[in-house]
Amino acid sequence: MVRSCVFGLLCALCAVSRLGAAPGAVQVLARGPVHEAFAAPAMEPMATPIVPKAPPITLEELPPGEKPEGDHVWIAGYWAWDDERNDYLWVSGTWRTAPPGKRWVGGYWYQEGNGWRWAPGFWVGDENQPAGAEITYLPAPPPPSEAAKPGPAPAPDSFFVPGHWVWAGNRYTWRAGYWGKVQPDHVWVPAHYRWSPGGHVFVPGYWDLALARRGILHAPVAIDPALVEPAFVHTPTHALQEAVALDSLFVRAAWSHYYFGDYYGPVYRELGYESCILMSRKRYDPIFAHE
């Protein structure tokens, strides 16, 4: 049986992308980055690539009029670098139910030398770091420890939580992995670090909602540069709600992002796109660990 996830493309969206956009238009894309507040891989932290061009001004984004039921908040979109276009595209904002006790710290672009680099966003706040507390920046953690592989699961509803490094005041110590119990309609996001220009941010492990319950993801768009001015307002119009096969979900470690759509072939492998299915066979992935 082909496994599927809860965000995908409407058929009309694919048609719009194939037809292209007239000058001065907003082109809805049939593939691209997944908003990092909606879902992001928990991988080893690394500095993102430097791009040669400054991002456009941040768009004013008006949420769609239809808000999903429940405790959803609107998290605004952001510019992302597109290697094929050699330019920026806009990752549309998302309606999101926040993980319990968490708040979103958005990513941002900053100048480094003659180029620009993306600092990824992350969820913060737990019993050790209240939602309003100041963020602590740490030295880079060591590579993951080569721990022995776990034995058979103790129960059918068990999953293995990988170990991680913990800052102990003046040095890192390794905290071993353990067996956890699956919670219905939730996925476990393991403890990990997020790189930033000010240091590394520790994100403790937490339960997040399954993708189907997180909210509404909207399609990214390519916007004619002539439109990008202070008076321009963008409202996302295409929700990614139909199911697509999980073999159409990719990850780029260098950008700390998931990507959806057609990124098959050697050209994309050279650009760092890796199938999430293949990656999940080598390391823990929150989306696939509970499949």
Side-chain angles (χ1 to χ4, degrees), residues 208-236:
D208 200 350
L209 295 169
L211 291 175
R213 302 179 61 210
R214 292 187 186 184
I216 297 179
L217 188 68
H218 293 90
V221 294
I223 302 176
D224 190 305
L227 288 178
V228 183
E229 56 183 28
F232 178 76
V233 178
H234 170 62
T235 297

Side-chain angles (χ1 to χ4, degrees), residues 119-224:
F122 47 87
W123 291 100
V124 297
D126 68 353
E127 63 274 11
N128 299 316
Q129 187 182 46
E134 185 175 344
I135 296 171
T136 301
Y137 296 93
L138 301 170
S145 176
E146 294 292 335
K149 293 184 178 181
D157 59 350
S158 298
F159 71 100
F160 189 76
V161 178
H164 61 276
W165 291 103
V166 177
W167 182 249
N170 59 0
R171 62 187 179 89
Y172 279 102
T173 60
W174 179 254
R175 180 170 294 171
Y178 60 92
W179 288 101
K181 184 177 181 179
V182 172
Q183 290 191 15
D185 298 324
H186 289 75
V187 296
W188 177 257
V189 179
H192 59 282
Y193 289 83
R194 275 285 185 263
W195 171 87
S196 81
H200 290 71
V201 178
F202 177 62
V203 180
Y206 61 92
W207 286 103
D208 200 350
L209 295 169
L211 291 175
R213 302 179 61 210
R214 292 187 186 184
I216 297 179
L217 188 68
H218 293 90
V221 294
I223 302 176
D224 190 305

Side-chain angles (χ1 to χ4, degrees), residues 49-151:
I50 293 178
V51 300
K53 184 177 180 180
I57 61 171
T58 300
L59 293 184
E60 181 179 350
E61 193 172 49
L62 185 66
E66 184 177 354
K67 179 182 178 181
E69 295 182 359
D71 189 19
H72 293 81
V73 295
W74 178 256
I75 300 178
Y78 52 91
W79 294 108
W81 182 254
D82 184 359
D83 294 284
E84 288 187 286
R85 297 172 182 271
N86 198 35
D87 207 345
Y88 290 90
L89 57 79
W90 181 256
V91 179
S92 298
T94 179
W95 286 112
R96 178 70 153 94
T97 298
K102 301 290 184 181
R103 67 179 173 90
W104 177 248
V105 177
Y108 58 91
W109 288 96
Y110 75 97
Q111 188 170 9
E112 183 173 322
N114 295 324
W116 292 77
R117 197 190 293 273
W118 174 252
F122 47 87
W123 291 100
V124 297
D126 68 353
E127 63 274 11
N128 299 316
Q129 187 182 46
E134 185 175 344
I135 296 171
T136 301
Y137 296 93
L138 301 170
S145 176
E146 294 292 335
K149 293 184 178 181

